[in-house]
Amino acid sequence: MRRRPLTGQAAAKTGNPVISTTSGAPLAEALQPLAHAIRFLAVDAILAAGEGHQGVPLGMAEIATVLYSRHLKFDPADPTWPDRDRVVLSNGHGSTLLYSLLHLTGYHHISLDAVKSFRELASPCAGHPEYEPAAGIETTTGPLGQGIANALGMAIAEAHLNARFGDDLIDHRTWAFVGDGCLQEGVGQEVIQLAGHLKLGKLTFFWDDNAITDDGSTELSISENVADRFRVAGWHVVEIDGHDIEAVDAAITAAKADPRPSMIACKTTIARGIPRLEGQRGGHSGKLFPEDRSQMAARFGWSAGSFDIPADIGAAWRATGAVGAETRAAWRNRLAATGNAVQDEFHRTVSGTLAAGWREAIHAYKAKMAAEEKADFSIATSGDIAAALYEVLPDIMTACADLEAPTNHKRQLSAFTAKDRAGRYIHCGVREHAMGSLANGMAAHGGVIPLAVTYLPFSDYERPALRMAALMGLPVKFVFSHDSIGIGKNGPTHQPVEIIASLRAMPNMMVLRPCDAIEAAEAWEIALEHRTGPVAMIFARQSLPALRRDGGAENRSARGAYVLQEAEGGPRRVTLISTGSEVQIAVEARAQLQAAGIPTAVVSMPCWSLFEAQDAAYRKAVLGTGTVRVAVEAAVKFGWERWIGEDGGFVGMTGFGASGPADALYRHFGITAEAVAEAARVRL
């Protein structure tokens, strides 16, 4: 991506100076050998693996060296220290840059043997960085653009926790290495706009402006001034030579002093140091050969052998990492001086432990709804539960993509804004992609419980974030409304008949689709307890009747499925299975079958994965043996075969929906109690 350097009046007008220095100054002399250590360690790892992406570590070595040696707040001896700076390698294909830094600065998990095992099975140095905070890897990156959106979420979490606990306990920055591809992906523009609007001054991007992508010159696909995109969005922008150590240092200093988020546009040469690949498209990930390393060694005067870091350079890097111990010790003293109450709340918050009273709030809501027995809009019910939880869980922050009124999850929360960091509701605008990914960043940062709220049909815009949350095991709560043809006249664009199946197919994604207010409360209880992955809570737009009358502490949904209504008048002959808004249809069908003398049970199955995790005896007791099974769901059949078998019946959708009143659509597509009862009869 090309940019125009600013000089003279243009630079003065924007307030974003172009920083330039004379090379060979004392700082450069001290740090240049450290930068070369990154280069050679990265190349050695790639040669050992036989593949990799050398463009980033060779092109950004000086930038990374200045950041880690002069400005970054970190302590390799305590990688998860809550007040550490966060570093995100958004251009994750250049992972050897990060692994080299972590090894050189002294992170225990990234030993020299680990670097030597780059891209091997079970190595902590995977092909792309994989989330492991104890190793210094703050988030999984690789799909371009995800990392910078994660960084945005980390900066939001820091700003909110700073407002809550003060500068003495929370005062750190978020840094992201960013490639051309991250800024070409659409999520990049969403991040630029939202970060600038929120004035997140502790967020800094280092743009690796090397004008090369995998296909070749960036001029093949882009002609705009990329730096101006940041300026227009309210960022502080500095343009430098990314190989000029003094300039990098000055730019970072300027970024730290500016109240706006900062983008440091670093003009670099891809694969710097390898004559055959330098500045070429092959510099991205072209195969390396031993002679490439030899030529780079000759150019930079590097005499050390493979994976050999000269003692003085290694000591200098270790000393860089050791500086953070003093900073962390001072922080621990400040924490100790706050008193027991603050310490207890701080430790509870950053550990992710839920505050006392949250379960009681859910049980109180269940008891209330059991007593009232009233129908209500399913998504509004979720909003009621969230509102009750907001009062007892100060860690919850809710992000919503311009749907405050129809999703109803703001309630008493104030907005998180540039002026009010204590706010807990993030107006994301129409930016679902950034919303999902920043929620992941908030969860990876820790100290907050992020909710991401939108319509289920728009989950496709969040798909990369959903997948990354599942892959990392992040406890993000994705809340969805408008889950089926029941939304009616908005038509098939807003009727996500295929999406529930796709979410259920995603590994480590827990999907909950409750049938009424009591199941909704149980779904929230399950979601809050679940810490090893994301949860998709799926609610209907339409009003759902009260099907449960029990408001006690037992969570019947916790095992994934249960018998809502047992068969009467003899041994069970039919099992009707359903989820969400269609459970009421199964209940009506059961009444018809029972009236005809056919003992029929209704099974509510709000969570397939939880039910699948139960023992065979429980599953057999719930589904019954030797019975006809019929499932009903206003979605496609895909996946239901595992519960109904090859001979079971399914009443649902076979294609996309249509525009019309909800009740008319259910009749039009044959999703009725009569159809369910008939599907059972023909199989008896």
Side-chain angles (χ1 to χ4, degrees):
M1 299 183 186
R2 307 303 296 177
R3 57 169 173 75
R4 298 188 306 273
L6 296 180
T7 58
Q9 292 181 348
K13 183 177 180 180
T14 63
N16 299 310
V18 176
I19 296 175
S20 180
T21 65
T22 302
S23 61
L27 182 63
E29 292 176 359
L31 297 187
Q32 191 64 69
L34 277 65
H36 289 333
I38 293 174
R39 288 192 169 94
F40 284 94
L41 198 54
V43 166
D44 289 341
I46 293 169
L47 283 171
E51 60 181 358
H53 297 77
Q54 61 274 359
V56 172
L58 299 187
M60 301 192 81
E62 284 81 13
I63 302 163
T65 298
V66 174
L67 174 64
Y68 272 74
S69 66
R70 301 268 296 170
H71 299 276
L72 192 68
K73 183 164 72 169
F74 71 114
D75 182 4
D78 187 2
T80 58
W81 168 33
D83 200 34
R84 69 191 182 279
D85 283 359
R86 269 56 169 188
V87 176
V88 174
L89 184 72
S90 189
N91 44 355
H93 51 274
S95 57
T96 50
L97 174 67
L98 182 59
Y99 303 144
S100 297
L101 286 163
L102 295 174
H103 170 67
L104 290 167
T105 52
Y107 283 81
H108 176 72
H109 282 64
I110 310 300
S111 64
L112 187 60
D113 285 341
V115 177
K116 289 180 178 179
S117 69
F118 173 55
R119 286 188 170 234
E120 296 297 327
L121 183 64
S123 172
C125 299
H128 292 79
E130 296 182 10
Y131 175 62
E132 190 176 354
I137 304 171
E138 301 286 2
T139 185
T140 298
T141 55
L144 295 178
Q146 287 297 302
I148 56 175
N150 292 167
L152 170 59
M154 292 175 184
I156 290 172
E158 189 279 339
H160 178 72
L161 291 170
N162 173 265
R164 186 173 167 192
F165 291 105
D167 289 346
D168 281 348
L169 300 186
I170 296 291
D171 185 14
H172 55 266
R173 308 182 68 86
T174 302
W175 313 86
F177 297 105
V178 181
D180 292 305
C182 297
L183 302 181
Q184 288 187 9
E185 291 285 359
V187 67
Q189 186 61 25
E190 294 183 20
V191 169
I192 293 168
Q193 291 174 335
L194 187 55
H197 173 71
L198 292 174
K199 295 181 172 57
L200 293 165
K202 295 180 184 176
L203 176 65
T204 300
F205 288 176
F206 298 99
W207 171 31
D208 185 20
D209 179 17
N210 56 32
I212 291 288
T213 60
D214 206 10
D215 277 357
S217 170
T218 52
E219 293 178 350
L220 294 171
S221 59
I222 190 169
S223 56
E224 72 208 51
N225 184 317
V226 174
D228 280 351
R229 289 165 56 189
F230 286 84
R231 293 188 180 99
V232 168
W235 287 58
H236 164 236
V237 179
V238 181
E239 300 180 59
I240 62 170
D241 177 346
H243 302 301
D244 185 332
I245 285 173
E246 299 277 355
V248 173
D249 184 59
I252 295 174
T253 299
K256 290 163 68 175
D258 199 285
R260 297 167 291 177
S262 294
M263 193 277 274
I264 302 176
C266 305
K267 192 62 185 170
T268 62
T269 301
I270 196 169
R272 184 169 186 261
I274 299 180
R276 183 176 62 86
L277 299 175
E278 193 174 67
Q280 306 299 313
R281 62 183 294 188
H284 176 72
S285 61
K287 185 172 179 60
L288 295 184
F289 300 94
E291 51 266 34
D292 293 319
R293 186 192 190 280
S294 298
Q295 291 175 2
M296 188 169 74
R299 174 172 175 177
F300 293 135
W302 188 266
S303 59
S306 178
F307 291 108
D308 182 17
I309 303 299
D312 58 336
I313 296 175
W317 266 119
R318 289 295 191 275
T320 292
V323 170
E326 297 179 7
T327 306
R328 179 172 61 90
W331 174 85
R332 290 178 67 87
N333 290 336
R334 293 195 300 273
L335 176 62
T338 60
N340 291 337
V342 173
Q343 289 182 56
D344 290 346
E345 180 63 6
F346 182 81
H347 287 306
R348 183 203 64 76
T349 300
V350 298
S351 70
T353 303
L354 299 177
W358 72 273
R359 202 183 302 274
E360 289 78 3
I362 288 179
H363 293 170
Y365 179 82
K366 285 178 67 176
K368 176 176 178 289
M369 298 311 293
E372 292 181 358
E373 296 186 16
K374 71 173 185 177
D376 201 356
F377 297 100
S378 181
I379 188 61
T381 295
S382 177
D384 290 340
I385 299 165
L389 290 167
Y390 292 156
E391 296 181 5
V392 295
L393 289 178
D395 318 325
I396 293 179
M397 291 189 75
T398 298
C400 188
D402 199 51
L403 293 170
E404 176 188 330
T407 58
N408 202 29
H409 278 67
K410 186 176 182 180
R411 302 297 176 91
Q412 71 266 36
L413 296 185
S414 61
F416 174 90
T417 68
K419 294 181 179 180
D420 182 9
R421 304 304 201 194
R424 296 162 60 193
Y425 190 90
I426 306 166
H427 289 278
C428 292
V430 188
R431 302 186 185 100
E432 288 90 356
H433 196 161
M435 178 183 72
S437 299
L438 72 84
N440 288 351
M442 292 165 69
H445 179 281
V448 294
I449 302 171
L451 311 183
V453 186
T454 189
Y455 292 176
L456 185 59
F458 304 154
S459 66
D460 279 344
Y461 292 124
E462 290 185 287
R463 181 68 53 167
L466 289 161
R467 181 173 182 269
M468 296 299 282
L471 197 155
M472 286 189 269
L474 296 174
V476 181
K477 319 306 175 189
F478 294 97
V479 180
F480 297 112
S481 175
H482 292 54
D483 69 341
S484 72
I485 62 171
I487 70 157
K489 297 182 180 180
N490 274 333
T493 61
H494 284 52
Q495 296 167 4
V497 298
E498 81 290 1
I499 290 179
I500 296 174
S502 70
L503 291 176
R504 288 172 177 153
M506 187 177 291
N508 203 36
M509 174 63 71
M510 181 181 288
V511 180
L512 293 158
R513 189 173 186 242
C515 72
D516 69 356
I518 292 195
E519 269 199 6
E522 292 178 345
W524 270 95
E525 185 175 17
I526 293 166
L528 287 170
E529 287 183 314
H530 187 59
R531 298 288 301 162
T532 58
V535 178
M537 289 188 281
I538 298 174
F539 300 96
R541 176 205 185 197
Q542 67 269 34
S543 180
L544 302 184
L547 299 177
R548 292 267 298 275
R549 303 293 189 268
D550 52 318
E554 180 189 5
N555 190 323
R556 297 179 69 190
S557 301
R559 301 184 76 174
Y562 61 95
V563 179
L564 176 66
Q565 294 183 345
E566 189 51 272
E568 298 176 348
R572 186 197 306 186
R573 298 184 64 197
V574 173
T575 301
L576 306 179
I577 315 167
S578 189
T579 76
S581 50
E582 286 71 61
V583 175
Q584 62 179 306
I585 294 176
V587 169
E588 294 169 8
R590 174 189 178 274
Q592 294 179 18
L593 292 168
Q594 285 285 161
I598 303 172
T600 302
V602 173
V603 171
S604 179
M605 189 180 284
C607 184
W608 286 18
S609 59
L610 285 175
F611 185 61
E612 194 166 31
Q614 304 306 308
D615 60 79
Y618 179 78
R619 295 198 305 269
K620 182 177 179 181
V622 170
L623 296 177
T625 57
T627 71
V628 166
R629 297 179 187 175
V630 178
V632 53
E633 190 172 59
V636 296
K637 181 181 179 181
F638 188 83
W640 273 105
E641 294 85 354
R642 76 177 68 180
W643 309 123
I644 60 176
E646 293 183 3
D647 299 325
F650 178 76
V651 176
M653 299 294 293
T654 57
F656 290 109
S659 181
D663 55 350
L665 289 174
Y666 273 89
R667 291 193 300 271
H668 174 74
F669 290 109
I671 307 175
T672 64
E674 291 75 17
V676 173
E678 181 60 22
R681 288 192 188 96
V682 299
R683 287 170 172 79
L684 285 171

